[in-house]
Amino acid sequence: MSDANGGRISLFVCGTCNCYVPDFTTKWDDKNNLLAQLDLHERTWVEEEPDEWRREQKELLTLANWLLGQIDKSDPAILEIGAGRGLLTATFFELGNDILGVEPSNKLADQARSVFDLGSRLVCDTAGNFFSKSKKKYDILVMWHVLEHLDKPLDVLRSAARSLSDGGVMAIQTPLPLERFVYPGHLFFPDFSTYHYLATFLNLRVKFIDFDPENSFITCLLENADKNSVGDNFDVEENHMSKILNRFEGAYSAAKNLAGERLSTISSLEEKLEFAESLSIDRLDIIEKLGGEISERDNRLSAAESLALDRLDVIEKLGAEISDRDNRLIAAESLALNRYETIKKMSAEISVRDERIAAAESLALQRLAVIEEMSEEIRIRDEEIAKLKLEENL
């Protein structure tokens, strides 16, 4: 497919979580990724006018109220990771909420504090460094267009999950792998199954997931529904086989959820599972087999989605070319009409001139006839005068 810079790029599908990973020829290493990301966003936003920031910030009121509606608390503690220009942080602040924004760019953080008067409500720090120092629990944790920029997203997500209060939600939004979003700053693109995998991996629950067709974004809410489900269990050393079994159990659960959303044929797979369980067949083998079938179907779906996206790009380009040709045809028609009107006027003027020329020719012929008559009279008079002179000489 094409990337945002007009080049060609390959998208690979992760065999574990089904996210899309672009194969950029030039990649940022882990050490320089943060600096490159900061430079990218600072060049994009620092030069914008403060009034433009304020205008965009007003548009986030609906989003802020929707997120507040996901928590049954009158005064929730809210954390925004990757606050950027501070638009959403400022919106929560103006609504009177307990909000803290974290932004790694000094330039953006300073400018956001100045534009929205955020003060200590916005701190400059990386997500990893902030979570290593913070012990506070948050009811709403927002990562809006942040995840796809992280070179170690699972580390940040683990820390974020530990920071959720009982019943707290983690709100994430990421773009789809469309041409305009595919550039080196976006390291990967989660899809629906990726979020189900993350929910299982983090011991959270998918409370909400949806696709925004207008902007081509995926929005997901991960909920800490069980107060004992997230915490130190990430660091507990367990029996290696137990870990493997737990991973397969989680993968099986995520696969069933994904299959229920994507494949109407999952019922046949569930029947196979029930039949296998009734015969006491080893459950791990069943999970591996089902996982392989679902993974194969997901790969076909991913390939079909990628082909559909490529065709959509072609259709959009054809539409633009057709629109451009229509505009040129309209301009040509307008020019032809103008020239036709000009020709009509010139034809009328030529007709008038032809009439004048015909009249002038008629007048000239009349005058020529008069001249010929006068010439004949003069000739006759000259002959008479010559006769008279001859007679006088005689």
Side-chain angles (χ1 to χ4, degrees), residues 40-53:
L40 172 67
H41 291 85
E42 287 170 358
R43 284 188 288 107
T44 302
W45 288 328
V46 165
E47 298 302 322
E48 283 188 345
E49 293 295 328
D51 287 344
E52 178 64 17
W53 287 25

Side-chain angles (χ1 to χ4, degrees), residues 49 108 116 278 295 312 319 321:
E49 293 295 328
L108 291 177
F116 299 113
S278 68
S295 177
L312 180 60
E321 291 178 1

Side-chain angles (χ1 to χ4, degrees), residues 337-355:
L337 289 173
N338 290 336
R339 290 181 175 176
Y340 175 70
E341 293 297 329
T342 301
I343 291 171
K344 285 178 63 178
K345 290 180 181 179
M346 292 177 65
S347 297
E349 291 176 359
I350 291 171
S351 177
V352 171
R353 289 181 183 178
D354 288 344
E355 292 176 358

Side-chain angles (χ1 to χ4, degrees), residues 127-143:
N129 193 48
F130 172 82
F131 282 126
S132 69
K133 299 180 294 184
S134 175
K135 304 300 180 183
K136 184 175 179 178
K137 298 291 185 179
Y138 293 93
D139 303 302
I140 301 175
L141 197 155
V142 183
M143 287 193 287

Side-chain angles (χ1 to χ4, degrees), residues 197-269:
Y197 168 81
L198 290 176
T200 302
F201 180 79
L202 299 171
N203 286 339
L204 301 178
R205 182 178 71 88
V206 176
K207 180 176 183 178
F208 171 89
I209 187 167
D210 198 9
F211 163 62
D212 174 8
E214 181 178 355
N215 297 301
S216 300
F217 299 149
I218 293 178
T219 303
C220 181
L221 298 182
L222 300 178
E223 182 180 32
N224 182 17
D226 181 358
K227 66 180 182 180
N228 296 318
S229 63
V230 178
D232 294 337
N233 59 315
F234 288 109
D235 301 318
V236 174
E237 183 64 32
E238 299 175 350
N239 178 270
H240 184 66
M241 182 56 67
S242 176
K243 285 185 177 181
I244 294 176
L245 290 174
N246 288 336
R247 289 286 298 279
F248 274 111
E249 288 286 342
Y252 171 68
S253 176
K256 283 188 65 177
N257 290 334
L258 174 62
E261 294 173 0
R262 288 187 167 186
L263 306 172
S264 61
T265 57
I266 191 61
S267 59
S268 63
L269 298 178

